[in-house]
Amino acid sequence: MAENCTRKLIVEICNANNLMPKDGQGTASAYAIVDFAGQRRRTKTKFRDLNPVWDEKLEFLVHDIGSMASEILEINLYNDKKIGKRSNFLGKIKLAGTVFVSAGAESLVYYSLEKRSVFSQVKGEIGVKIFYVDEEAAPTSAEQKEETAEEKPPEEEKPAEENKEEAPKEEEKPNPPPPESSNPQDAVAASTSETNPAPEEENNQPLANKEEPPTETAKDKAETGKSTELIINNLELRSLSGDHNRMGYDLVDPMPFLYVRVVKAKVANKEPACPLHAKIVIGTHSIKTKTQINRDWDQVFAFDKEGLNSSSLEVSVWTEEGKNEEAPSSLVESCLGTVSFDLQEVPKRVPPDSPLAPQWYCLESESETGNDVMVAVWVGTQADEAFQEAWQSDSGGLIPETRAKVYLSPKLWYLRLTVIQTQDLQLDLASEAKVRSPEIYVKALLGAQLFKTSRTEVGSAWNEDLVFVAAEPFEPFLVVKVEDASNRQSVGDVKIHVSSIDRRTDDKTEVKSRWFNLIGGENKPYAGRIHIRVCLEGGYHVLDEAAHVTSDVRATAKQLTKPPIGLLDVGIRGANNMLPVKTKDGPCGTTDAYVVAKYGPKWIRTRTILDLFNPRWNEQYTWDVYDLCTVLTIGVFDNGRYKGDKDVSIGKVRIRLSTLDTNKVYRNSYTLTVLSPDGVKKMGEIEIAIRFCCSSWLSLIQAYRSPMLPRMHHVSPLGPAQQDILRYTAMRIVTARLARSEPALGQEVVQFMLDSDTHVWSMRRSKANWFRVVGCLSRVASLVRWLDEIRTWVHPPTTVLVHGLLVAAVICSHLVLPTTFMYAFLILALRLRYCRRIPYNVESRLSYVDVVSPDELDEEFDEFLTNKSSDTIRIRYDRLRVLASRIQTLLGDVAVQGERLEALFSWKDPRATGIFLVFCLFVSLLFYLVPLKVLVLGAGFYYIRHPRFRDDMPSLPINFFRRLPSLSDQIM
């Protein structure tokens, strides 16, 4: 960006809805005050209107473009009172600079008004548009003076005691609406020049007096802002994410590396066109630079210091004489000299130290003189900024597929196409004559996605929604076709540019419908018209993961993104006792392991450690956290892509952030388990350090009161089946986009991380889910067994004690609920001592992988269009039929109980319903005559009566209920 480029922030205050009445007459006279970067603007006052409409644009100058994301925009609404009275507070919103978008991408967004204190009475919402404009032309001196005069400097608040004493008692004139002006900038200047009434809370406490420092120019403010002391707070979490030098590698162990930077060489007696290369030798390690004619290499080499077997380093320069295209085999290498370094004397460098400056060294040679090489040698760690781009000895050098990389998932949108109706269709007359009432349907295509509407007669309306998943950068066109259902021939189609489609962030933004002409072909330029409505939905979160392991729940639209609530630091330390995955040089096994971690749209991949069963990565990464109830997924893979094969999964770890304590470091080892058609196998252990940092407990508590998904998922929800289809479509799009990266993140890796096979039938998963349900109901079953033991007097002292508790509960019924909750409080407080301190991970016992049969595993990994033999398919089909018959019987039993209860009130069995009618009359009189406490006490004593007074046969209510009719006898 040019140095003379200036940025202006445009805040358009559109309207507000359902404000709180504050004038004592059921209305409010609202105006807005907007503060940004020490500048203040004010809108007009809308008198006596709870749903005011302003439509005013307020301009602000962005002093420091680089720090705009850390700025806060605050909008306060006040009720304009009469002379001598201060304005009442109506609500406020605070927006971080991360939600600001460039001009053209803005949209109307409604924000709920927030309270200023606990005692504020606030309701309603305000609709705003916020965007910025970059101007290349430098402003004139007159404009600079005008902007400086209009801007107010930042104000400092004083303590509340001083405010009460120094509050001026000025009489102010009522604020009439400012005169209309064709220039909105004039209206803004007029409104800002007025003296704003100091707002106050409902308790009539005066607002603090503010001290005005001398006015500064924009340039001075920018320079002052750059030298401001760094303060770690929530607003700077975004800028700190990914900055390893600032955060430090405190979760991993430092790994010493010997760095050798070979810059260039000076050769005295050689022609300028002579190709040269440098060679680095450390004991048995030898590597050479690329061959350059201009003698400028500027390459960095990083050697694992623990793997070095020599105490000296030699850097030599070689010439390649005789190398040409006609005779490439006639290459003759000659050494121009060597320089040696004692590794014991190599300096150490630890960031944030500045990079070591390279120096010229004379090349020692018996035959050549006057040759120099520029080299820098130092000992550093993996935190060195030169490490990422350096040749690395433990990851195969400069192989692209083995390097550490960071990937980003594409930004996904829901594209909603509403098909309304068609008109003036030019159908084929021959087919129309055969069909008395021809039917048509609409088919829409976006890339590889295809959706159809239902069939309807010509002239009828659909009003159906077709929802697609669109990824940035968008597909060029959305193709809408109208087809004849009788012969499946296209009547006409229209192509819509996806980039020109309107965007909306909520259901309140109205999207206009449009008529499009259908094109039938070369010989048919006009085939009718179609009425549709199309928009990009930014208020949804496009799910590309399973709902129970999602790592991001933010809406697509940037304007709806809230500031992060914390930082997640993850240290990938290493792995231990890994098993070989593939063979190397005959029967010997090897593993080339790397780690992939995903949280939100950010994917990271560590470097690949070649041919080691105990690799040490010691890499640290950082993510912004926007919601605490999300999951971090870490997978370990064997790299086969650098040899042309596919990557093989070794294991996976999932950590839910809500199970982590704040600002606490967890260093644990997790077992890597992989499931294959041959069975479950433990592949080793991975050592991970994780820390969740948050500076505000209040933001964490507020996260639990807000819904998981954005507002549009609740006001305009998608169906379960439709949401599953869109989720798998989003998975395929993310997989395809990441596979097109360089180096590619393989399809098998992305699918393993996203659990793309959760919808596939699996006998193992079915059993696991069944036992999960049984586990949830086990506590209820334990309570029922305990009550049965009390009722049958298995332990008489306990039953006698329960009699006393029943009497106390009936007599002092008002103490039942307090006692129950106090008991729950004590139980939970005692269990805190025994809670698990290690984050939960994938459990093989819960996944039911230890007792699964080989045939069930083979069925789980079978492709959807199976290629198994007919005998195998018959056996699996019979097994599935047995399972389905049990489920069928269970569902029938549940239906019978509901039908019996329904029959009791429907007079299906007149005698049974008549008996129940008399019983209801008797019970109503009993409850009317006898106190409720006596009835409860009598029922309790009757339930836990001694077995001597109990019959072994079922009770009368059970016998009566089992005799009621059901619909089972009417099913064929």
Side-chain angles (χ1 to χ4, degrees):
M1 189 175 295
E3 295 181 358
N4 60 348
C5 176
T6 60
R7 174 172 292 182
K8 289 186 178 181
L9 182 69
I10 310 299
V11 181
E12 183 175 353
I13 308 296
C14 298
N15 62 336
N17 299 321
N18 195 24
L19 297 179
M20 176 71 70
K22 289 294 183 73
D23 62 353
Q25 300 178 3
T27 61
S29 300
Y31 66 92
I33 293 181
V34 186
D35 294 286
F36 176 77
Q39 308 166 61
R40 172 170 289 185
R41 301 288 186 268
R42 183 188 187 278
T43 66
K44 303 175 185 177
T45 300
K46 296 297 179 179
F47 293 95
R48 302 179 63 82
D49 191 355
L50 295 178
N51 300 286
V53 177
W54 292 282
D55 288 333
E56 295 187 29
K57 291 185 177 180
L58 309 178
E59 293 187 2
F60 297 87
L61 182 64
V62 180
H63 298 146
D64 188 359
I65 298 178
S67 63
M68 187 184 71
S70 62
E71 296 287 351
I72 291 294
L73 174 71
E74 183 173 352
I75 303 176
N76 291 270
L77 289 185
Y78 298 104
N79 173 48
D80 197 351
K81 284 190 173 184
K82 297 181 180 180
I83 301 176
K85 296 184 178 180
R86 297 189 179 276
S87 299
N88 285 335
F89 179 72
L90 294 176
K92 70 172 183 178
I93 62 171
K94 284 187 176 183
L95 303 176
T98 54
V99 304
F100 302 161
V101 297
S102 59
E106 75 278 2
S107 60
L108 178 61
V109 184
Y110 286 89
Y111 298 96
S112 299
L113 294 174
E114 302 174 355
K115 295 182 178 182
R116 190 166 59 184
S117 67
V118 180
F119 304 101
S120 300
Q121 296 181 4
V122 171
K123 71 174 184 177
E125 58 186 6
I126 182 172
V128 297
K129 292 182 181 180
I130 306 173
F131 58 95
Y132 58 84
V133 179
D134 291 327
E135 299 178 355
E136 295 294 337
T140 61
S141 58
E143 292 175 346
Q144 289 180 350
K145 292 180 180 179
E146 182 180 355
E147 290 174 355
T148 307
E150 287 182 345
E151 293 171 7
K152 289 190 177 182
E155 300 170 344
E156 301 177 357
E157 295 187 1
K158 295 184 178 182
E161 292 79 10
E162 297 179 10
N163 297 336
K164 295 181 181 180
E165 297 176 0
E166 298 179 9
K169 299 181 180 179
E170 299 178 358
E171 294 205 356
E172 300 173 344
K173 298 181 180 180
N175 293 325
E180 297 292 338
S181 175
S182 59
N183 187 4
Q185 191 71 15
D186 296 338
V188 172
S191 62
T192 53
S193 61
E194 297 174 357
T195 304
N196 296 329
E200 63 176 356
E201 286 289 342
E202 284 69 10
N203 55 4
N204 294 327
Q205 292 291 338
L207 191 68
N209 236 8
K210 297 188 177 181
E211 186 179 315
E212 298 186 358
T215 305
E216 299 180 60
T217 63
K219 183 177 179 180
D220 295 336
K221 290 183 178 180
E223 293 177 354
T224 306
K226 292 180 181 178
S227 61
T228 304
E229 184 181 24
L230 176 65
I231 301 176
I232 305 299
N233 53 30
N234 286 338
L235 303 179
E236 294 179 344
L237 293 175
R238 182 179 180 88
S239 61
L240 294 180
S241 63
D243 191 346
H244 298 279
N245 293 332
R246 186 180 296 177
M247 296 299 295
Y249 276 67
D250 56 339
L251 297 183
V252 295
D253 298 331
M255 297 181 65
F257 281 88
L258 175 65
Y259 289 91
V260 181
R261 181 185 178 189
V262 183
V263 183
K264 55 186 176 180
K266 289 192 303 186
V267 181
N269 301 324
K270 294 295 179 181
E271 297 179 359
C274 180
L276 299 176
H277 71 266
K279 184 181 295 185
I280 303 171
V281 178
I282 309 176
T284 59
H285 298 275
S286 177
I287 187 68
K288 70 176 184 177
T289 66
K290 53 190 176 183
T291 303
Q292 295 282 5
I293 298 179
N294 58 4
R295 305 165 186 177
D296 189 359
W297 302 289
D298 198 10
Q299 286 185 256
V300 181
F301 300 86
F303 298 89
D304 187 1
K305 201 166 185 299
E306 297 180 356
L308 300 179
N309 53 7
S310 176
S311 60
S312 63
L313 163 70
E314 292 184 358
V315 180
S316 57
V317 178
W318 297 72
T319 178
E320 299 179 1
E321 298 178 353
K323 182 176 182 180
N324 53 60
E325 297 180 356
E326 297 179 356
S329 59
S330 61
L331 176 64
V332 177
E333 293 186 354
S334 60
C335 181
L336 299 181
T338 304
V339 58
S340 299
F341 297 88
D342 186 1
L343 298 185
Q344 303 295 331
E345 303 296 331
V346 173
K348 295 183 180 180
R349 176 181 178 267
V350 179
D353 292 349
S354 300
L356 189 67
Q359 299 181 13
W360 287 103
Y361 294 91
C362 295
L363 294 174
E364 298 179 359
S365 176
E366 297 179 357
S367 59
E368 298 284 347
T369 59
N371 300 327
D372 298 330
V373 63
M374 180 179 284
V375 180
V377 183
W378 72 94
V379 174
T381 64
Q382 73 274 25
D384 200 299
E385 63 269 11
F387 180 74
Q388 296 299 329
E389 301 300 329
W391 180 95
Q392 299 165 5
S393 61
D394 59 352
S395 61
L398 293 174
I399 303 176
E401 289 79 8
T402 62
R403 313 285 290 181
K405 291 293 180 182
V406 176
Y407 302 85
L408 288 178
S409 297
K411 190 175 184 179
L412 302 177
W413 296 73
Y414 283 145
L415 189 149
R416 186 187 297 272
L417 171 66
T418 305
V419 182
I420 303 174
Q421 62 179 349
T422 57
Q423 282 185 0
D424 196 21
L425 293 181
Q426 307 296 317
L427 298 177
D428 188 2
L429 297 179
S431 62
E432 189 177 0
K434 295 178 182 179
V435 183
R436 181 171 300 177
S437 57
E439 293 183 342
I440 58 174
Y441 62 89
V442 176
K443 181 170 66 176
L445 297 93
L446 180 66
Q449 305 174 61
L450 187 149
F451 291 100
K452 299 179 181 179
T453 64
S454 59
R455 297 184 178 185
T456 184
E457 296 181 359
V458 177
S460 302
W462 286 279
N463 286 320
E464 292 186 20
D465 288 342
L466 305 178
V467 183
F468 301 82
V469 178
E472 293 184 358
F474 296 120
E475 297 285 343
F477 296 103
L478 170 67
V479 182
V480 182
K481 295 183 178 181
V482 179
E483 294 188 355
D484 191 345
S486 59
N487 53 16
R488 297 182 181 273
Q489 292 184 357
S490 176
V491 179
D493 59 54
V494 60
K495 293 184 177 180
I496 304 172
H497 286 276
V498 179
S499 58
S500 63
I501 295 176
D502 295 334
R503 305 181 184 187
R504 70 171 186 173
T505 57
D506 52 27
D507 59 323
K508 299 178 182 179
T509 305
E510 182 180 357
V511 179
K512 296 181 180 179
S513 58
R514 297 173 58 188
W515 286 94
F516 291 90
N517 292 335
L518 297 173
I519 301 175
E522 296 180 358
N523 301 326
K524 205 173 184 181
Y526 177 76
R529 298 197 305 164
I530 185 170
H531 191 198
I532 60 176
R533 182 187 302 112
V534 61
C535 68
L536 289 167
E537 298 281 6
Y540 290 93
H541 169 70
V542 181
L543 291 171
D544 59 350
E545 304 170 281
H548 59 281
V549 293
T550 183
S551 60
D552 190 11
V553 293
R554 291 176 293 166
T556 302
K558 185 179 179 182
Q559 298 91 326
L560 300 179
T561 302
K562 296 182 179 179
I565 62 174
L567 280 178
L568 176 65
D569 296 323
V570 178
I572 312 295
R573 297 173 63 85
N576 301 314
N577 304 321
M578 299 190 68
L579 298 181
V581 177
K582 55 192 175 186
T583 59
K584 176 185 178 182
D585 299 333
C588 299
T590 183
T591 299
D592 303 327
Y594 70 94
V595 180
V596 175
K598 179 191 183 301
Y599 184 78
K602 179 180 176 181
W603 301 64
I604 66 97
R605 186 180 75 173
T606 66
R607 69 188 189 279
T608 301
I609 306 297
L610 301 179
D611 198 16
L612 280 180
F613 297 126
N614 296 285
R616 307 302 297 177
W617 294 283
N618 284 310
E619 298 183 18
Q620 184 169 335
Y621 298 91
T622 305
W623 284 268
D624 288 330
V625 177
Y626 294 88
D627 194 288
L628 190 62
C629 301
T630 47
V631 178
L632 168 70
T633 304
I634 300 174
V636 184
F637 302 88
D638 175 77
N639 195 333
R641 283 190 170 266
Y642 79 99
K643 291 185 177 181
D645 300 328
K646 289 186 176 181
D647 296 344
V648 180
S649 58
I650 297 178
K652 188 187 320 185
V653 176
R654 287 200 189 99
I655 300 175
R656 185 169 291 273
L657 267 61
S658 58
T659 62
L660 303 177
D661 291 338
T662 308
N663 301 324
K664 179 180 179 181
V665 177
Y666 295 85
R667 289 187 177 91
N668 301 298
S669 295
Y670 300 91
T671 302
L672 296 173
T673 306
V674 65
L675 189 64
S676 65
D678 299 330
V680 63
K681 183 185 294 184
K682 294 183 178 179
M683 303 296 295
E685 294 182 347
I686 182 173
E687 187 179 350
I688 298 173
I690 186 170
R691 175 180 59 206
F692 171 65
C693 300
C694 180
S695 59
S696 173
W697 271 92
L698 182 60
S699 60
L700 297 181
I701 301 302
Q702 289 177 347
Y704 283 92
R705 59 181 292 269
S706 59
M708 280 287 295
L709 295 174
R711 180 176 178 272
M712 284 293 290
H713 286 271
H714 304 280
V715 298
S716 182
L718 303 172
Q722 184 183 26
Q723 199 160 358
D724 286 340
I725 294 174
L726 294 174
R727 181 162 62 91
Y728 293 119
T729 302
M731 285 183 180
R732 289 194 295 269
I733 292 176
V734 172
T735 302
R737 292 291 180 90
L738 293 179
R740 291 163 53 186
S741 303
E742 185 60 38
L745 195 61
Q747 176 182 355
E748 62 278 4
V749 175
V750 178
Q751 291 179 350
F752 181 76
M753 296 289 290
L754 295 180
D755 281 343
S756 60
D757 59 344
T758 53
H759 64 290
V760 179
W761 161 255
S762 169
M763 180 68 73
R764 175 188 61 84
R765 285 201 192 98
S766 301
K767 292 180 180 179
N769 291 335
W770 168 256
F771 285 109
R772 287 171 60 195
V773 174
V774 172
C776 293
L777 298 177
S778 61
R779 298 188 182 276
V780 179
S782 301
L783 179 61
V784 172
R785 285 195 300 268
W786 181 77
L787 292 177
D788 186 69
E789 292 176 357
I790 296 298
R791 189 174 70 95
T792 55
W793 291 69
V794 174
H795 191 253
T798 305
T799 306
V800 173
L801 179 62
V802 170
H803 279 79
L805 292 176
L806 179 62
V807 174
V810 171
I811 296 176
C812 305
S813 57
H814 61 283
L815 297 178
V816 173
L817 289 180
T819 304
T820 302
F821 283 102
M822 180 57 68
Y823 178 75
F825 167 77
L826 295 176
I827 292 297
L828 293 176
L830 291 175
R831 286 186 178 181
L832 179 62
R833 299 174 53 189
Y834 307 102
C835 69
R836 185 173 179 177
R837 299 299 179 182
I838 301 176
Y840 292 89
N841 185 28
V842 179
E843 294 188 8
S844 58
R845 181 186 60 82
L846 187 62
S847 304
Y848 209 75
V849 297
D850 297 329
V851 292
V852 63
S853 65
D855 185 60
E856 292 176 353
L857 279 178
D858 185 65
E859 180 186 13
E860 182 175 346
F861 284 92
D862 192 10
E863 297 179 356
F864 184 69
L865 296 178
T866 181
N867 54 4
K868 300 295 182 182
S869 63
S870 58
D871 295 337
T872 303
I873 296 175
R874 186 181 297 109
I875 293 174
R876 293 176 180 176
Y877 177 68
D878 292 339
R879 182 176 60 199
L880 189 60
R881 288 180 61 188
V882 172
L883 179 62
S885 64
R886 296 178 183 176
I887 298 176
Q888 170 185 303
T889 304
L890 179 62
L891 294 177
D893 294 340
V894 173
V896 164
Q897 310 307 321
E899 291 166 355
R900 285 174 176 173
L901 186 62
E902 185 179 357
L904 188 61
F905 295 91
S906 61
W907 291 88
K908 191 172 184 179
D909 186 348
R911 299 175 187 84
T913 307
I915 295 173
F916 184 68
L917 179 68
V918 176
F919 173 77
C920 291
L921 178 61
F922 175 75
V923 171
S924 64
L925 295 175
L926 183 65
F927 274 92
Y928 181 75
L929 297 175
V930 182
L932 180 60
K933 292 184 178 181
V934 176
L935 291 177
V936 173
L937 190 62
F941 282 166
Y942 178 78
Y943 178 76
I944 57 177
R945 66 190 183 277
H946 197 273
R948 182 179 300 177
F949 307 104
R950 194 186 305 277
D951 194 3
D952 294 336
M953 302 302 292
S955 62
L956 187 148
I958 294 178
N959 294 331
F960 179 79
F961 186 76
R962 287 177 178 174
R963 290 180 178 273
L964 294 175
S966 66
L967 301 179
S968 299
D969 52 351
Q970 301 179 21
I971 296 179
M972 297 182 63

